[in-house]
């Protein structure tokens, strides 16, 4: 199917939305309530475009492509409508970007920059921060919330924890946990899905606060070591220290989602008590050893036990925290090298 967006002729897939087609072809249309994993919500109306032959403005996140369609993303009418929406969002919240943890990765900030908004056009009465600090890992500041609903869609639809919803009406509307209790007293399991999906600084990682700006970190993609699912994660590293973990968007098996362990259980990485060299116990106390010395000692003792008592006197226990390939090697080592089928796994115990 052929369409034109911003004077570029594109070949797009049937069933795609205009926003998806634009993104796939590197054309920026601002959006806030849309996320690839939560889909179109049609709430914020920041992604409006004009289409030749169609009256009015249309939300590109919910408008399907059709043959020959001509989409205009930057007409005066479009930009004016987008500016109005973003100005209203900025004016009704407390958006003090300098001190905001999301500064630099905030989608609202990006849209304001794209539209050339330097200061909010409307001046509202002073908005007070409305903080919910009760959760161990998740920090809420309702005054930065733009009511896009991405956190709610993620909590209810993606991870199906069903904690979040909109509560109250009109200008009192806000995101609530359960029956409007503090998050730390709610049924929240602290998976951080809402943190990952929030486009602003309204829901953020509590542990990362004050640890470093996004531009001071670099990301390293790796596999979560907590279980055999193999979720793909990004380590956010500053000064050789992991200060945050996020799920890798767009990559399976988890496509950005994580559990509480994978997202927040990383402090052992930087813990000074973490073992970094093998230890050998002699006369009841441990001493540090090289890998060569430790492996030689293990091999010597396994050989001794095998000769004295036979291979079935040895058993091999493996772990859910290592990869399938490493588990495969462990059982191969037990069966082919030692000669025993005594193989087990901590996840069964
Ligand atoms: S949420 Fe975004 S726009 Fe609001 S203060 Fe933070 S960085 Fe600025
Ligand atoms: S942390 Fe997870 S369970 Fe808790 S509110 Fe956010 S998405 Fe829902
Ligand atoms: S907390 Fe974030 S994701 Fe949730 S509605 Fe507010 S701005 Fe959107």
């Amino acid at each position: 199917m052929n369409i034109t967006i911003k004077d570029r002729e594109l070949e797009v897939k049937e069933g795609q939305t205009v926003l998806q087609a634009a993104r796939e072809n590197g054309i920026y249309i601002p959006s806030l309530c849309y996320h690839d994993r939560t889909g179109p919500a049609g709430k914020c109306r920041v992604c409006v475009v004009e289409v030749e032959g169609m009256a009015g403005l249309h939300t590109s996140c919910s408008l399907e492509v059709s043959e020959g369609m001509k989409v205009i993303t930057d007409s005066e009418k479009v930009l004016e409508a987008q500016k109005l929406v973003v100005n209203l969002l900025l004016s009704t919240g407390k958006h003090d970007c300098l001190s905001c943890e999301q500064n630099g990765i905030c989608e609202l900030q990006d849209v304001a920059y794209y539209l050339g908004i330097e200061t909010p056009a409307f001046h509202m009465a002073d908005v007070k921060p409305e903080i919910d600090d009760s959760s161990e890992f998740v920090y809420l500041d309702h005054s930065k919330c733009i009511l896009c609903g991405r956190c709610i869609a993620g909590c209810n639809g993606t991870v199906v924890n069903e904690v979040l919803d909109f509560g109250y009406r009109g200008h009192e509307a806000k995101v609530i946990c359960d029956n409007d209790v503090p998050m730390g007293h709610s049924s929240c399991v602290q998976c951080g899905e809402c943190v990952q999906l929030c486009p602003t600084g309204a829901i953020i990682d509590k542990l990362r606060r004050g640890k470093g700006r996004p531009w001071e970190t670099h990301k390293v993609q790796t596999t979560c070591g907590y279980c055999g699912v193999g979720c793909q994660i990004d380590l956010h590293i500053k000064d050789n220290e992991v200060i945050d973990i996020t799920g890798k968007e767009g990559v399976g098996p988890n496509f950005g989602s994580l559990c509480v362990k994978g997202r927040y259980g990383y402090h052992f990485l930087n813990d000074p008590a973490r073992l970094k060299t093998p230890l050998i116990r002699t006369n009841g106390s441990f001493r540090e050893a090289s890998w060569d010395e430790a492996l030689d000692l293990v091999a010597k003792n396994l050989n001794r036990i095998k000769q004295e008592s036979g291979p079935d006197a040895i058993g091999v226990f493996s772990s859910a925290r290592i990869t399938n390939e490493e588990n495969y090697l462990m059982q191969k080592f037990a069966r082919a090298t030692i000669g025993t089928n005594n193989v087990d796994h901590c996840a069964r115990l």
Side-chain angles (χ1 to χ4, degrees), residues 310-317 330-331 334-335 338-344:
D312 282 338
I314 300 169
V316 171
F317 283 89
M330 282 303 284
Q331 64 80 34
R335 295 188 221 277
I338 298 176
T340 180
N341 288 323
N342 291 340
V343 179
D344 217 327

Side-chain angles (χ1 to χ4, degrees), residues 98-132:
L98 285 181
S99 60
C100 182
E101 285 292 323
Q102 202 73 355
N103 189 5
I105 45 171
C106 171
E107 293 174 39
L108 178 59
Q109 198 182 52
D110 290 345
V111 176
Y113 181 78
Y114 165 79
L115 294 170
I117 299 172
E118 290 175 7
T119 47
F122 310 109
H123 296 284
M124 310 290 285
D126 194 23
V127 182
K128 299 269 178 285
E130 201 191 330
I131 311 285
D132 179 351

Side-chain angles (χ1 to χ4, degrees), residues 92-259:
T92 48
K94 186 165 177 59
H95 294 288
D96 41 6
C97 300
L98 285 181
S99 60
C100 182
E101 285 292 323
Q102 202 73 355
N103 189 5
I105 45 171
C106 171
E107 293 174 39
L108 178 59
Q109 198 182 52
D110 290 345
V111 176
Y113 181 78
Y114 165 79
L115 294 170
I117 299 172
E118 290 175 7
T119 47
F122 310 109
H123 296 284
M124 310 290 285
D126 194 23
V127 182
K128 299 269 178 285
E130 201 191 330
I131 311 285
D132 179 351
D133 190 18
S134 59
S135 160
E136 198 175 347
F137 298 124
V138 182
Y139 184 89
L140 265 89
D141 181 348
H142 292 281
S143 66
K144 295 186 196 304
C145 175
I146 55 170
L147 301 176
C148 68
R150 274 165 45 168
C151 57
I152 296 169
C155 185
N156 296 334
T158 314
V159 289
V160 202
N161 286 326
E162 299 180 337
V163 179
L164 300 179
D165 207 340
F166 285 122
Y168 307 99
R169 284 177 180 267
H171 75 280
E172 289 186 347
K174 64 174 191 171
V175 173
I176 56 167
C177 302
D178 295 339
N179 198 17
D180 196 15
V181 295
M183 187 178 255
H185 305 151
S186 73
S187 55
C188 168
V189 296
Q190 312 200 72
C191 66
E193 179 76 3
C194 52
V195 174
Q196 178 130 352
L197 289 171
C198 181
T200 72
I203 302 192
I204 57 170
D205 271 350
K206 197 170 176 182
L207 302 180
R208 190 199 164 127
R209 290 186 70 226
K211 292 275 168 56
R213 292 304 205 175
W215 55 86
E216 295 172 321
T217 63
H218 68 278
K219 283 191 213 168
V220 174
Q221 184 183 345
T222 186
T223 304
C224 175
Y226 274 110
C227 80
V229 173
C231 290
Q232 292 302 295
I233 55 177
D234 275 325
L235 307 177
H236 298 246
I237 299 168
K238 184 189 170 208
D239 300 334
N240 213 24
E241 193 175 312
V242 175
I243 62 162
D244 192 13
I245 288 182
T246 48
K248 185 90 191 158
E249 290 287 347
V251 181
N254 52 314
F255 298 97
S257 299
L258 290 173
C259 72

